[in-house]
Amino acid sequence: MTAPPWQADPYTDALRAGRGPLFLRRHDGWLLPLEVERWCAEPDAADRTVLSHSQGAVLDIGCGPGRLVAALAARGRTALGIDISPEAVARTIRVGGSALHRSVFDPLPREGHWDTALLIDGNTGIGGDPRALLSRVSELVRPGGLLIAEAAPLDVDERTVVQVFDGTSKEGSAFPWARVGTEALLRHGRAVGWEREEVWRAGGRRFVAMRRGARAGS
């Protein structure tokens, strides 16, 4: 039986080792490298721009091994990570963060009251439908709350099906995923009531901050 995505698959092995190689593989063989080493390290300069832009209580959606949640906790901030990988949740807790084994589409604590939500490290791809994801996030933050999302480095708006792949013979089950660049991310956000606040680049990465408007989450 093929393992569930992001769970008992090469992702789990990579998190335990703290390194790759690891990829998302599309059906046509195209590979997207996953930066496991960076995810398992301390926040880098680009990550620190995310931390400095975040406000109040923070929900990190798809927190991975927890570097951002742990960094916020070390600053005395209220922060919670959620992830569908049990190993990611366990590692987040080990490094000093708080985390739950949940999907963003599951019932979550403090729904409608988070000050900031994060979608970093490609997590705008969760579920394969960026608009549905952004609509769900609008239900999680308070009115006027903030979303900080990392956009793809290219001008892309793609929905596809991928598997986690370690470059050898190990792979997880197929699941829907998306890649959205800055303009596509802003466009999908506007469609569900998010308002552009700021766009910036750091360390070769692209970030978008959007504010929950009156229509979002209604």
Side-chain angles (χ1 to χ4, degrees), residues 35 38 50 119-125 148-156 178-186 198-202 204-210:
E35 299 181 80
R38 179 173 63 78
V50 172
L119 287 169
I120 307 300
D121 300 330
N123 284 328
T124 52
I148 301 174
E150 184 170 352
L154 304 174
D155 184 14
V156 64
R179 291 195 304 146
V180 284
T182 300
E183 292 306 315
L185 183 55
L186 290 167
E198 188 175 354
V199 174
W200 73 95
R201 298 186 185 190
R205 297 159 64 192
R206 301 183 182 189
F207 301 95
V208 172
M210 293 185 284

Side-chain angles (χ1 to χ4, degrees), residues 2-4 8-10 25 163-174:
T2 306
D9 63 9
R25 183 172 66 177
Q163 296 169 288
V164 179
F165 177 59
D166 70 356
T168 61
S169 60
K170 294 186 69 175
E171 60 187 24
S173 59

Side-chain angles (χ1 to χ4, degrees), residues 137-148:
V137 176
S138 74
E139 299 172 347
L140 300 175
V141 302
R142 62 170 175 80
L146 190 67
L147 167 63
I148 301 174

Side-chain angles (χ1 to χ4, degrees), residues 41 54 61 65 97 101 136 175 210-211 213:
S54 69
I61 299 164
H101 180 211
R136 170 56 177 153
F175 57 95
M210 293 185 284
R211 187 72 64 177

